Amino acid sequence: IMSELRVCSVLLLLMLFGQSFGATPSFSVDYQDDCFRKDGEKFRYISGSIHYSRIPRVYWKDRLLKMYMAGLNAIQTYIPWNYHEDFPGQYRFSGDRDLEHFLQLAQDVGLLVILRPGPYICAEWDMGGLPAWLLQKKDIVLRSSDPDYLAAVDKWMGKLLPMMKPYLYQNGGPIISVQVENEYGSYFACDYNYMRHLTRLFRSHLGEEVVLFTTDGAGRSFLKCGSIQDLYATVDFGPGGNVTAAFSAQRYAEPHGPLVNSEFYTGWLDNWGSRHSVVSSAVVAKSLSKMLAMGANVNMYMFIGGTNFGYWNGAGGKYSSQPTSYDYDAPLTEAGDLTEKYFAIREVIKMIPEGPIPPTTPKYAYGPVKMKKLQTLTDALEVLSYSGPVRSIYPQTFIDLDQKFGYVLYRTTLPMNCSSPTPLASPLNGVHDRAYVSVSGVAVGILERNTAIMINVTGTAGSQVDILVENMGRINYGKNINDFKGLVSNMTLGKDLLTGWSMYSLSIDDAVSQGLLGEKEATLRDPPPPAGLSPPAFYGGSFVIPDGIPDLPQDSYVKLPGWKKGQIWINGFNLGRYWPARGPQVTLFVPANILSTAAPNNVTVLELEGAPCSSKQSFDLHTH
């Protein structure tokens, strides 16, 4: 009897232990039943991509809740290396960069996470997420076994992955799988040793249990270099095609296991000068329905695109830069608004949680903001370039000057009289990416990568030549991602090489946020700007959010009718680039969190080509 009591008591303790602590969470690939297993049960994820780096932190929960209420059970997110390590060894994980807070919010909402930490991410993000400082070694081979590249990757992952380990599903967190690299089969290097190195690196930090995977285009040629042993191979493809044929490419690399489309495109990216990409809701819903009927796991890229605030946009391989908006024609707009596509997808998924969908965030039209000219960029040079000029015989790149983003002013003099128009040129197409040229303070033309490598100038010998070069975003896809900025090759005047350069690194964001750009009184010597083009200049204005109206501030949009091209800040926050003349983007999203009801909201504009005439120097804050 005593032995039976002991057995019963042991069983009771085991049962109590099991109820208190539960079985260890698990997530794995089941190759026999062609599925994922979550805690031993068959599992299929329906996921959507959201990039925390493109959405203000205050809106993370709103966007995640909307994704959950669409019927998603997971999200997918990239980690841009350059967003967290601006300078070697200096890491930033607070505020809008608080990745751990974002992961915790996802879990709190009820969403699992598919993590894509790179090191390369593409994502239409500057240099595909790789830090520009890697280019300090000029001949570095990115995304390869290059020892200097690997050393930097190892150090970064040695910081990042241990932070992620507690958030793995088996450790009680939301992360069910982790992608290694990104679409490597589309890259020229095809370096299997590099992929093996990353596999060992990820395993050493994350352990043997986590599901590691790759993503490549749905073609055998992509999977040849993109897939490798110990990483589960998945594919990506958009709507409207043959779903069965696309998944057959995955079956080439993975004869068994779950079907996975890691990037099902709900829309597409934009480029300056192209039409806004639109994909119909019906086409997206039809292809999604087909994949789900096959039992496939699907991640919708993007579910919400967000915004390339500041200078974070990337550029296409032959150089076509992307705009500030990353709306992507996604189910949730750039501002997180609900769309027809959102509800069409929700109808396909059908497994909808109970409860209300968070509404579209309200917008407020604050009206026109009167702007006045403060000073030209060259007038402000002392406060913009507090380190002073760097002098050399030949022009140096942004990286040589330790400048990663924004603008650099290159200054030299005319070595001879140019009484008749004389070609000022970059014969090797070395203007990366757009340059605003002035002679003796008068704007004379614009040079642009690939499209305008020569302009004619006139002037006397010794006249000052200023070339303001704009970095419009580094290439994020293809073989040319080692994208150097500035004047990356020599300039010529007629047949002569231009030498004797002074180069000014410009800390414009610092000057704007510190309020250093005051108004300069015009002098009689200031030359009148020629019609259509004037030297780059700063304009300032402010607006007050009215009292007595509840729930202000609210989101808004900036529209700049008559303005040409430039950068805009509100209360020191860099909203991004505007270029309505080229489009397709003509308005910029203004999130409410950067606005103030306690003080006037200060607006600064750097207009690069020429503001509207003085009577119309204003822009509009409206509801879209």
Side-chain angles (χ1 to χ4, degrees), residues 422-426 437 447 453-457 467 491-493 498:
T422 307
L424 173 70
S426 176
V437 184
L447 298 168
I453 62 171
M454 187 273 290
I455 58 171
N456 285 318
V457 300
I467 304 177
M491 301 288 294
T492 58
L493 182 68
L498 278 175

Side-chain angles (χ1 to χ4, degrees), residues 15 21 24 29 55 138 186 242-243 252 258 275 309 336 364 465 475 501-502 516 527 566 585 589 603:
M15 287 171 66
F21 295 93
T24 303
V29 174
I55 299 169
K138 286 186 165 48
S186 301
N242 187 324
V243 171
Y252 165 72
R275 298 185 68 172
F309 293 116
Y364 190 84
V465 178
I475 291 172
W501 292 90
S502 297
L516 302 179
Q585 181 177 4
F589 173 55
V603 182

Side-chain angles (χ1 to χ4, degrees), residues 16 41-42 46 85 127 154 156 160 169 351 429 505 547 554 603:
L16 289 170
E41 301 294 324
K42 277 190 174 184
I46 305 173
E85 192 179 5
M127 207 163 141
D154 288 353
W156 162 239
L160 174 68
Y169 185 74
M351 298 178 295
N429 191 25
S505 294
D547 291 329
Q554 292 174 353
V603 182

Side-chain angles (χ1 to χ4, degrees), residues 577-591:
R577 311 172 203 271
Y578 65 89
W579 201 0
R582 188 163 291 191
Q585 181 177 4
V586 294
T587 62
L588 280 80
F589 173 55
V590 182

Side-chain angles (χ1 to χ4, degrees), residues 190-204:
C190 196
D191 186 340
Y192 291 112
N193 287 332
Y194 167 57
M195 291 298 289
R196 291 188 188 102
H197 179 93
L198 289 183
T199 303
R200 291 191 298 269
L201 179 65
F202 278 52
R203 287 278 176 224
S204 69

